[in-house]
Amino acid sequence: MKNTISTNYDAIINKLDAIDPVKYGRTRNFTNGAVTELSPYVSRGVINGKLIFDSLIKKGYKYHTCEKFIQQLLWREYFQRVWQTQKDKINADLKQEQSDVNNAGIPHSIINATTSIEAIDDGIKQLTSSGMMHNHIRMYTAFLSCNLGKSHWLQPAKWMYYHLLDGDWGSNALSWQWVVGSFSHKKYIANQENINYYTNHNQSNTFLDVDYEQLALLETPSQLKEIENLKLTTQLPITNEINISSDIPVLIYNYYNLSPSWRAEMKANRILLIEPDIFKAYPVSDQCISFMMNLSKNIDGIQVFVGNFSELKTKLSGQTIYFMEHPLNSHYEGIEDAREWIIPDAASIKGSYFSFWKKNEKYIKKKFELKEDQC
Protein backbone atom coordinates (compact mmCIF):
# COMPACT_ATOMS: atom_id res chain seq x y z
CA MET A 1 0.00 0.00 0.00
CA LYS A 2 1.61 3.23 -1.18
CA ASN A 3 1.83 5.97 1.41
CA THR A 4 0.04 9.05 0.06
CA ILE A 5 -0.72 10.71 3.38
CA SER A 6 -0.94 14.44 2.78
CA THR A 7 -1.39 17.04 5.51
CA ASN A 8 -2.96 19.66 3.24
CA TYR A 9 -6.59 20.29 4.22
CA ASP A 10 -7.82 20.65 0.63
CA ALA A 11 -6.17 17.33 -0.25
CA ILE A 12 -7.88 15.73 2.76
CA ILE A 13 -11.28 16.96 1.62
CA ASN A 14 -10.52 15.67 -1.88
CA LYS A 15 -9.87 12.23 -0.36
CA LEU A 16 -13.22 12.46 1.37
CA ASP A 17 -14.91 13.26 -1.96
CA ALA A 18 -13.12 10.34 -3.65
CA ILE A 19 -14.50 7.62 -1.34
CA ASP A 20 -15.86 4.60 -3.18
CA PRO A 21 -17.81 2.78 -0.44
CA VAL A 22 -19.02 0.08 -2.85
CA LYS A 23 -15.51 -0.94 -3.93
CA TYR A 24 -14.36 -0.60 -0.33
CA GLY A 25 -16.99 -3.09 0.80
CA ARG A 26 -15.83 -5.64 -1.77
CA THR A 27 -12.08 -5.31 -1.25
CA ARG A 28 -11.36 -3.81 2.19
CA ASN A 29 -9.97 -7.04 3.67
CA PHE A 30 -7.29 -7.30 0.98
CA THR A 31 -4.05 -5.41 1.50
CA ASN A 32 -4.34 -3.99 -2.03
CA GLY A 33 -8.02 -3.14 -1.51
CA ALA A 34 -9.78 0.19 -1.90
CA VAL A 35 -8.95 1.75 1.45
CA THR A 36 -9.86 5.40 1.94
CA GLU A 37 -6.69 6.59 3.74
CA LEU A 38 -8.93 8.82 5.87
CA SER A 39 -8.21 7.16 9.23
CA PRO A 40 -5.18 9.36 10.09
CA TYR A 41 -7.34 12.47 9.72
CA VAL A 42 -10.20 11.00 11.73
CA SER A 43 -7.83 9.97 14.51
CA ARG A 44 -6.28 13.43 14.64
CA GLY A 45 -9.70 15.06 14.65
CA VAL A 46 -9.26 16.89 11.36
CA ILE A 47 -12.50 15.27 10.15
CA ASN A 48 -14.85 12.86 11.89
CA GLY A 49 -16.96 9.80 11.18
CA LYS A 50 -20.20 11.77 11.02
CA LEU A 51 -18.80 14.00 8.29
CA ILE A 52 -17.87 10.90 6.28
CA PHE A 53 -21.27 9.31 6.94
CA ASP A 54 -23.14 12.48 5.93
CA SER A 55 -21.09 12.72 2.73
CA LEU A 56 -22.35 9.27 1.65
CA ILE A 57 -25.95 10.39 2.13
CA LYS A 58 -25.41 13.67 0.28
CA LYS A 59 -23.91 11.81 -2.68
CA GLY A 60 -27.04 9.71 -2.96
CA TYR A 61 -25.63 6.28 -2.14
CA LYS A 62 -28.20 3.61 -1.33
CA TYR A 63 -27.86 2.04 2.09
CA HIS A 64 -27.39 -1.52 0.81
CA THR A 65 -24.49 -0.47 -1.45
CA CYS A 66 -22.37 0.93 1.37
CA GLU A 67 -23.46 -1.12 4.39
CA LYS A 68 -19.99 -2.64 4.89
CA PHE A 69 -18.40 0.79 4.81
CA ILE A 70 -20.89 2.14 7.35
CA GLN A 71 -20.24 -0.83 9.63
CA GLN A 72 -16.56 0.10 9.70
CA LEU A 73 -17.41 3.71 10.57
CA LEU A 74 -19.58 2.39 13.38
CA TRP A 75 -16.80 0.09 14.63
CA ARG A 76 -14.61 3.16 15.17
CA GLU A 77 -17.44 5.06 16.83
CA TYR A 78 -18.22 2.07 19.03
CA PHE A 79 -14.62 1.92 20.27
CA GLN A 80 -14.65 5.68 20.87
CA ARG A 81 -17.84 5.41 22.91
CA VAL A 82 -16.39 2.55 24.95
CA TRP A 83 -13.32 4.68 25.72
CA GLN A 84 -15.55 7.66 26.49
CA THR A 85 -17.66 5.69 28.97
CA GLN A 86 -15.04 3.30 30.40
CA LYS A 87 -12.13 5.78 30.44
CA ASP A 88 -8.88 4.32 31.87
CA LYS A 89 -10.52 0.93 32.36
CA ILE A 90 -9.66 0.15 28.73
CA ASN A 91 -5.99 -0.01 29.76
CA ALA A 92 -6.66 -3.37 31.41
CA ASP A 93 -8.55 -6.51 30.35
CA LEU A 94 -12.05 -5.14 30.00
CA LYS A 95 -14.51 -8.05 29.82
CA GLN A 96 -12.41 -10.99 31.02
CA GLU A 97 -8.76 -11.74 31.60
CA GLN A 98 -6.62 -12.57 28.61
CA SER A 99 -5.88 -16.28 28.95
CA ASP A 100 -2.65 -18.22 28.33
CA VAL A 101 -0.26 -15.30 28.96
CA ASN A 102 3.35 -15.87 30.04
CA ASN A 103 4.96 -12.43 29.59
CA ALA A 104 4.22 -8.69 29.69
CA GLY A 105 6.63 -7.81 26.89
CA ILE A 106 6.61 -8.13 23.12
CA PRO A 107 8.31 -10.68 20.84
CA HIS A 108 11.66 -9.45 19.53
CA SER A 109 10.72 -10.62 16.05
CA ILE A 110 7.63 -8.40 16.00
CA ILE A 111 9.69 -5.27 16.68
CA ASN A 112 12.32 -6.25 14.12
CA ALA A 113 10.04 -7.69 11.43
CA THR A 114 11.69 -11.11 11.61
CA THR A 115 8.71 -13.35 12.37
CA SER A 116 9.41 -15.35 9.14
CA ILE A 117 5.84 -14.69 7.97
CA GLU A 118 6.59 -12.52 4.95
CA ALA A 119 3.29 -10.64 4.74
CA ILE A 120 3.43 -9.70 8.42
CA ASP A 121 7.10 -8.73 8.29
CA ASP A 122 6.42 -6.56 5.24
CA GLY A 123 3.53 -4.92 7.09
CA ILE A 124 5.69 -4.20 10.14
CA LYS A 125 8.39 -2.65 7.95
CA GLN A 126 5.76 -0.46 6.33
CA LEU A 127 4.44 0.53 9.76
CA THR A 128 7.81 1.67 11.08
CA SER A 129 8.78 3.45 7.86
CA SER A 130 5.48 5.11 6.91
CA GLY A 131 3.26 5.02 9.99
CA MET A 132 0.61 3.03 8.12
CA MET A 133 -0.52 -0.59 8.38
CA HIS A 134 -3.51 -2.32 6.80
CA ASN A 135 -6.17 -3.34 9.34
CA HIS A 136 -5.90 -7.02 8.43
CA ILE A 137 -2.13 -6.96 9.03
CA ARG A 138 -2.79 -5.33 12.42
CA MET A 139 -4.96 -8.29 13.37
CA TYR A 140 -2.36 -10.79 12.14
CA THR A 141 0.37 -8.97 14.10
CA ALA A 142 -1.70 -8.97 17.29
CA PHE A 143 -2.50 -12.66 16.80
CA LEU A 144 1.20 -13.53 16.48
CA SER A 145 2.27 -11.33 19.38
CA CYS A 146 -0.32 -12.47 21.89
CA ASN A 147 -2.18 -15.61 20.88
CA LEU A 148 0.97 -17.41 19.71
CA GLY A 149 3.68 -15.35 21.43
CA LYS A 150 1.74 -15.41 24.74
CA SER A 151 2.40 -11.73 25.43
CA HIS A 152 -0.16 -9.69 27.29
CA TRP A 153 -1.69 -7.27 24.80
CA LEU A 154 -0.83 -3.96 26.52
CA GLN A 155 2.84 -3.49 25.56
CA PRO A 156 2.44 -4.72 21.95
CA ALA A 157 -0.58 -2.43 21.57
CA LYS A 158 1.46 0.53 22.83
CA TRP A 159 4.25 -0.38 20.38
CA MET A 160 1.82 -0.33 17.46
CA TYR A 161 0.15 2.89 18.66
CA TYR A 162 3.60 4.47 18.92
CA HIS A 163 4.13 4.12 15.17
CA LEU A 164 0.64 4.60 13.73
CA LEU A 165 -0.19 7.92 12.11
CA ASP A 166 -3.83 7.01 12.72
CA GLY A 167 -3.07 5.92 16.26
CA ASP A 168 -6.19 6.17 18.37
CA TRP A 169 -5.72 4.62 21.78
CA GLY A 170 -9.36 3.61 22.15
CA SER A 171 -9.55 1.85 18.79
CA ASN A 172 -6.07 0.39 19.17
CA ALA A 173 -6.36 -0.94 22.72
CA LEU A 174 -9.84 -2.36 22.21
CA SER A 175 -8.92 -3.95 18.87
CA TRP A 176 -6.01 -5.75 20.51
CA GLN A 177 -8.33 -6.85 23.31
CA TRP A 178 -10.79 -8.11 20.68
CA VAL A 179 -8.03 -10.21 19.07
CA VAL A 180 -6.85 -11.72 22.38
CA GLY A 181 -10.32 -12.43 23.72
CA SER A 182 -10.42 -9.99 26.63
CA PHE A 183 -13.00 -7.87 24.76
CA SER A 184 -14.61 -10.66 22.75
CA HIS A 185 -15.84 -14.19 23.29
CA LYS A 186 -12.89 -15.96 21.61
CA LYS A 187 -9.35 -15.41 20.36
CA TYR A 188 -8.66 -14.52 16.75
CA ILE A 189 -6.41 -16.87 14.77
CA ALA A 190 -5.32 -17.04 11.12
CA ASN A 191 -3.31 -19.64 9.23
CA GLN A 192 -0.92 -19.20 6.31
CA GLU A 193 -3.61 -19.91 3.73
CA ASN A 194 -5.74 -17.07 5.10
CA ILE A 195 -2.78 -14.69 5.19
CA ASN A 196 -1.73 -15.57 1.64
CA TYR A 197 -5.26 -15.05 0.36
CA TYR A 198 -5.70 -11.53 1.76
CA THR A 199 -2.13 -10.31 1.19
CA ASN A 200 -1.38 -11.74 -2.28
CA HIS A 201 1.50 -13.82 -0.96
CA ASN A 202 2.24 -17.43 -1.80
CA GLN A 203 4.37 -18.46 1.18
CA SER A 204 4.37 -22.06 2.38
CA ASN A 205 6.07 -24.36 4.92
CA THR A 206 5.80 -21.83 7.75
CA PHE A 207 4.71 -22.52 11.33
CA LEU A 208 1.29 -21.16 10.28
CA ASP A 209 0.99 -23.47 7.29
CA VAL A 210 -1.42 -25.83 9.07
CA ASP A 211 -5.17 -26.27 9.25
CA TYR A 212 -7.20 -24.48 11.93
CA GLU A 213 -7.54 -27.50 14.19
CA GLN A 214 -3.75 -27.81 14.37
CA LEU A 215 -3.31 -24.05 14.65
CA ALA A 216 -5.51 -23.91 17.75
CA LEU A 217 -3.14 -26.38 19.45
CA LEU A 218 0.11 -24.82 18.22
CA GLU A 219 2.78 -24.07 20.83
CA THR A 220 4.73 -20.82 20.68
CA PRO A 221 7.14 -21.13 17.73
CA SER A 222 10.83 -20.37 18.23
CA GLN A 223 10.50 -17.18 16.18
CA LEU A 224 8.28 -15.66 18.88
CA LYS A 225 9.99 -16.84 22.05
CA GLU A 226 12.55 -14.06 22.52
CA ILE A 227 10.79 -11.29 24.45
CA GLU A 228 11.69 -7.61 24.89
CA ASN A 229 10.41 -4.98 27.30
CA LEU A 230 10.24 -1.67 25.50
CA LYS A 231 10.78 1.81 26.90
CA LEU A 232 8.98 4.03 24.42
CA THR A 233 9.53 7.78 24.66
CA THR A 234 8.33 10.83 22.73
CA GLN A 235 10.57 13.68 21.63
CA LEU A 236 8.38 16.77 22.02
CA PRO A 237 8.99 19.86 19.87
CA ILE A 238 10.81 22.94 21.16
CA THR A 239 8.50 25.94 20.93
CA ASN A 240 8.65 29.70 21.28
CA GLU A 241 6.82 31.76 23.89
CA ILE A 242 3.15 32.14 23.02
CA ASN A 243 1.43 35.50 22.65
CA ILE A 244 -2.03 35.65 24.20
CA SER A 245 -4.57 38.40 23.46
CA SER A 246 -6.38 38.95 26.74
CA ASP A 247 -9.60 40.29 25.21
CA ILE A 248 -10.59 37.15 23.27
CA PRO A 249 -11.21 33.53 24.34
CA VAL A 250 -8.83 30.58 24.02
CA LEU A 251 -9.45 27.48 21.90
CA ILE A 252 -7.38 24.46 22.89
CA TYR A 253 -6.39 21.95 20.23
CA ASN A 254 -4.43 18.77 20.90
CA TYR A 255 -3.29 15.45 19.40
CA TYR A 256 -6.91 14.33 19.10
CA ASN A 257 -8.44 17.61 17.89
CA LEU A 258 -6.83 19.36 14.94
CA SER A 259 -10.04 20.42 13.20
CA PRO A 260 -9.72 23.61 11.11
CA SER A 261 -13.53 23.89 11.05
CA TRP A 262 -14.02 23.80 14.84
CA ARG A 263 -15.36 27.24 15.88
CA ALA A 264 -13.66 28.62 12.77
CA GLU A 265 -15.87 31.72 12.83
CA MET A 266 -14.76 32.70 16.35
CA LYS A 267 -12.05 35.29 16.94
CA ALA A 268 -9.83 33.54 19.48
CA ASN A 269 -6.39 32.58 20.64
CA ARG A 270 -5.79 29.14 19.09
CA ILE A 271 -3.38 26.97 21.06
CA LEU A 272 -2.09 23.49 20.22
CA LEU A 273 -1.51 22.07 23.69
CA ILE A 274 1.13 19.32 23.78
CA GLU A 275 1.15 17.84 27.27
CA PRO A 276 4.25 15.89 28.36
CA ASP A 277 2.16 13.84 30.82
CA ILE A 278 -0.11 12.60 28.02
CA PHE A 279 2.78 11.59 25.79
CA LYS A 280 4.56 9.94 28.69
CA ALA A 281 1.50 7.75 29.25
CA TYR A 282 0.83 7.26 25.52
CA PRO A 283 4.14 7.78 23.67
CA VAL A 284 4.29 8.25 19.90
CA SER A 285 7.08 8.38 17.33
CA ASP A 286 8.83 11.39 15.81
CA GLN A 287 6.89 10.70 12.63
CA CYS A 288 3.58 10.99 14.50
CA ILE A 289 4.64 14.25 16.15
CA SER A 290 5.69 15.65 12.77
CA PHE A 291 2.32 14.61 11.31
CA MET A 292 0.50 16.41 14.12
CA MET A 293 2.56 19.56 13.68
CA ASN A 294 2.02 19.64 9.92
CA LEU A 295 -1.73 19.09 10.27
CA SER A 296 -1.93 21.94 12.78
CA LYS A 297 -0.73 24.34 10.08
CA ASN A 298 -4.20 24.11 8.53
CA ILE A 299 -5.52 26.07 11.54
CA ASP A 300 -5.12 29.81 11.04
CA GLY A 301 -3.07 31.58 13.69
CA ILE A 302 -2.39 28.51 15.81
CA GLN A 303 0.40 28.67 18.38
CA VAL A 304 2.07 25.69 20.04
CA PHE A 305 2.46 25.31 23.80
CA VAL A 306 4.42 22.38 25.25
CA GLY A 307 3.39 21.93 28.86
CA ASN A 308 0.49 20.70 30.92
CA PHE A 309 -2.92 22.37 31.03
CA SER A 310 -2.28 23.85 34.47
CA GLU A 311 0.86 25.58 33.14
CA LEU A 312 -1.02 27.03 30.18
CA LYS A 313 -3.77 28.31 32.45
CA THR A 314 -1.28 30.39 34.45
CA LYS A 315 -0.42 32.27 31.24
CA LEU A 316 -4.02 33.28 30.63
CA SER A 317 -5.83 36.29 32.03
CA GLY A 318 -9.08 34.67 32.97
CA GLN A 319 -10.31 34.27 29.39
CA THR A 320 -12.96 31.76 28.55
CA ILE A 321 -11.42 28.44 27.47
CA TYR A 322 -13.04 26.16 24.90
CA PHE A 323 -12.03 22.56 24.21
CA MET A 324 -13.41 19.45 22.55
CA GLU A 325 -14.58 16.56 24.74
CA HIS A 326 -12.20 13.59 24.81
CA PRO A 327 -11.24 10.97 27.43
CA LEU A 328 -7.72 12.46 27.69
CA ASN A 329 -9.13 15.96 28.38
CA SER A 330 -10.90 15.25 31.67
CA HIS A 331 -8.53 17.61 33.53
CA TYR A 332 -9.23 20.58 31.24
CA GLU A 333 -11.26 23.45 32.66
CA GLY A 334 -13.59 25.62 30.62
CA ILE A 335 -16.42 25.13 28.13
CA GLU A 336 -16.49 21.63 26.69
CA ASP A 337 -17.84 21.15 23.18
CA ALA A 338 -19.35 17.75 22.42
CA ARG A 339 -17.88 15.68 19.63
CA GLU A 340 -20.07 14.87 16.63
CA TRP A 341 -21.35 11.30 16.47
CA ILE A 342 -23.17 9.22 13.89
CA ILE A 343 -25.21 7.69 16.73
CA PRO A 344 -26.01 10.51 19.17
CA ASP A 345 -27.11 8.31 22.09
CA ALA A 346 -24.17 7.20 24.23
CA ALA A 347 -26.42 4.84 26.19
CA SER A 348 -26.62 2.62 23.10
CA ILE A 349 -23.01 1.54 23.64
CA LYS A 350 -23.88 -1.13 26.20
CA GLY A 351 -22.94 -4.66 25.13
CA SER A 352 -21.03 -5.93 22.12
CA TYR A 353 -20.47 -4.23 18.80
CA PHE A 354 -22.99 -6.60 17.25
CA SER A 355 -25.70 -5.47 19.70
CA PHE A 356 -24.67 -1.83 19.12
CA TRP A 357 -25.04 -2.31 15.38
CA LYS A 358 -28.37 -4.15 15.56
CA LYS A 359 -29.79 -1.56 17.94
CA ASN A 360 -28.90 1.29 15.60
CA GLU A 361 -29.28 -0.25 12.15
CA LYS A 362 -32.86 1.05 11.71
CA TYR A 363 -31.70 4.56 12.63
CA ILE A 364 -28.92 4.34 10.02
CA LYS A 365 -31.25 3.05 7.31
CA LYS A 366 -33.76 5.80 8.05
CA LYS A 367 -31.10 8.46 7.45
CA PHE A 368 -30.62 7.13 3.92
CA GLU A 369 -34.36 6.73 3.33
CA LEU A 370 -35.03 10.33 4.34
CA LYS A 371 -32.56 11.50 1.70
CA GLU A 372 -34.27 9.30 -0.91
CA ASP A 373 -37.66 10.77 0.00
CA GLN A 374 -36.32 14.29 -0.51
CA CYS A 375 -35.03 13.53 -4.00
Side-chain angles (χ1 to χ4, degrees):
M1 184 171 59
K2 184 181 179 182
N3 187 355
T4 54
I5 306 303
S6 172
T7 56
N8 176 270
Y9 188 65
D10 289 338
I12 295 168
I13 298 304
N14 287 339
K15 281 182 181 288
L16 176 63
D17 290 338
I19 291 174
D20 185 341
V22 180
K23 190 174 181 181
Y24 173 91
R26 293 197 307 265
T27 66
R28 67 181 178 85
N29 284 328
F30 295 90
T31 52
N32 63 349
V35 296
T36 67
E37 295 186 340
L38 289 175
S39 60
Y41 313 119
V42 176
S43 294
R44 300 287 67 80
V46 178
I47 58 176
N48 58 57
K50 186 176 185 300
L51 179 66
I52 299 172
F53 177 78
D54 289 346
S55 75
L56 299 179
I57 297 175
K58 289 176 183 176
K59 289 178 181 178
Y61 283 106
K62 305 294 185 182
Y63 169 78
H64 70 274
T65 66
C66 52
E67 181 180 2
K68 292 295 183 183
F69 186 86
I70 297 166
Q71 286 176 341
Q72 292 306 303
L73 288 178
L74 265 291
W75 257 113
R76 176 178 287 271
E77 182 155 312
Y78 171 74
F79 285 146
Q80 288 303 301
R81 287 296 205 179
V82 173
W83 191 12
Q84 183 187 48
T85 55
Q86 299 298 316
K87 299 182 171 51
D88 288 348
K89 290 181 181 178
I90 71 165
N91 295 340
D93 297 347
L94 198 56
K95 289 189 175 180
Q96 57 265 335
E97 287 188 9
Q98 178 187 344
S99 63
D100 201 16
V101 174
N102 65 20
N103 72 86
I106 180 172
H108 175 86
S109 61
I110 294 291
I111 302 168
N112 294 282
T114 55
T115 69
S116 79
I117 307 301
E118 293 171 358
I120 296 174
D121 290 341
D122 289 348
I124 293 170
K125 290 173 185 174
Q126 183 187 47
L127 170 66
T128 55
S129 64
S130 72
M132 297 296 289
M133 180 183 261
H134 190 277
N135 281 340
H136 224 147
I137 302 294
R138 300 183 199 198
M139 293 168 62
Y140 294 147
T141 303
F143 151 63
L144 279 196
S145 302
C146 302
N147 298 345
L148 280 185
K150 313 295 185 186
S151 295
H152 187 267
W153 64 268
L154 183 58
Q155 189 169 144
K158 285 197 169 187
W159 162 81
M160 184 174 282
Y161 175 82
Y162 180 83
H163 290 289
L164 286 170
L165 291 185
D166 68 354
D168 177 286
W169 182 243
S171 295
N172 194 60
L174 293 168
S175 293
W176 278 76
Q177 292 204 51
W178 184 89
V179 168
V180 306
S182 61
F183 192 58
S184 59
H185 66 282
K186 64 179 181 179
K187 295 188 177 190
Y188 171 82
I189 60 175
N191 65 9
Q192 189 66 55
E193 181 182 12
N194 179 286
I195 293 171
N196 286 346
Y197 179 70
Y198 287 109
T199 65
N200 298 298
H201 279 71
N202 193 31
Q203 192 177 9
S204 60
N205 299 317
T206 70
F207 58 82
L208 293 179
D209 198 10
V210 296
D211 62 33
Y212 277 95
E213 287 186 3
Q214 292 173 288
L215 184 60
L217 302 173
L218 194 67
E219 294 295 322
T220 301
S222 59
Q223 293 91 332
L224 300 173
K225 286 186 174 179
E226 184 180 350
I227 301 299
E228 290 193 22
N229 288 292
L230 296 178
K231 294 187 181 297
L232 300 169
T233 58
T234 300
Q235 183 67 43
L236 298 179
I238 297 173
T239 59
N240 298 321
E241 187 71 21
I242 58 174
N243 296 310
I244 301 291
S245 298
S246 60
D247 58 338
I248 55 177
V250 175
L251 300 185
I252 297 183
Y253 301 78
N254 55 41
Y255 193 61
Y256 282 91
N257 176 26
L258 295 172
S259 171
S261 63
W262 176 53
R263 291 187 174 269
E265 76 292 344
M266 178 181 284
K267 186 177 181 181
N269 299 284
R270 301 177 188 275
I271 307 296
L272 171 55
L273 177 60
I274 302 176
E275 296 191 278
D277 287 353
I278 295 297
F279 289 97
K280 182 178 180 180
Y282 304 97
V284 299
S285 68
D286 290 348
Q287 188 169 208
C288 292
I289 292 294
S290 178
F291 186 61
M292 171 186 69
M293 298 299 289
N294 287 330
L295 284 173
S296 74
K297 294 175 184 178
N298 292 303
I299 302 167
D300 289 341
I302 197 162
Q303 300 181 75
V304 180
F305 181 81
V306 178
N308 293 317
F309 175 85
S310 58
E311 297 173 66
L312 174 62
K313 191 177 178 183
T314 64
K315 295 182 176 293
L316 306 182
S317 302
Q319 296 107 307
T320 301
I321 298 172
Y322 293 88
F323 61 92
M324 190 74 75
E325 179 274 323
H326 192 273
L328 296 182
N329 299 349
S330 60
H331 58 294
Y332 286 12
E333 299 172 17
I335 296 174
E336 179 183 80
D337 284 349
R339 283 182 281 171
E340 288 191 301
W341 303 100
I342 300 171
I343 307 299
D345 180 15
S348 67
I349 199 61
K350 294 178 181 177
S352 67
Y353 171 76
F354 179 76
S355 64
F356 172 70
W357 170 258
K358 296 306 292 184
K359 181 176 181 180
N360 293 293
E361 188 176 14
K362 287 184 179 179
Y363 173 83
I364 296 293
K365 285 182 178 180
K366 190 172 183 179
K367 288 287 187 179
F368 281 82
E369 291 167 358
L370 286 172
K371 175 63 175 178
E372 292 173 14
D373 291 341
Q374 293 168 4
C375 294

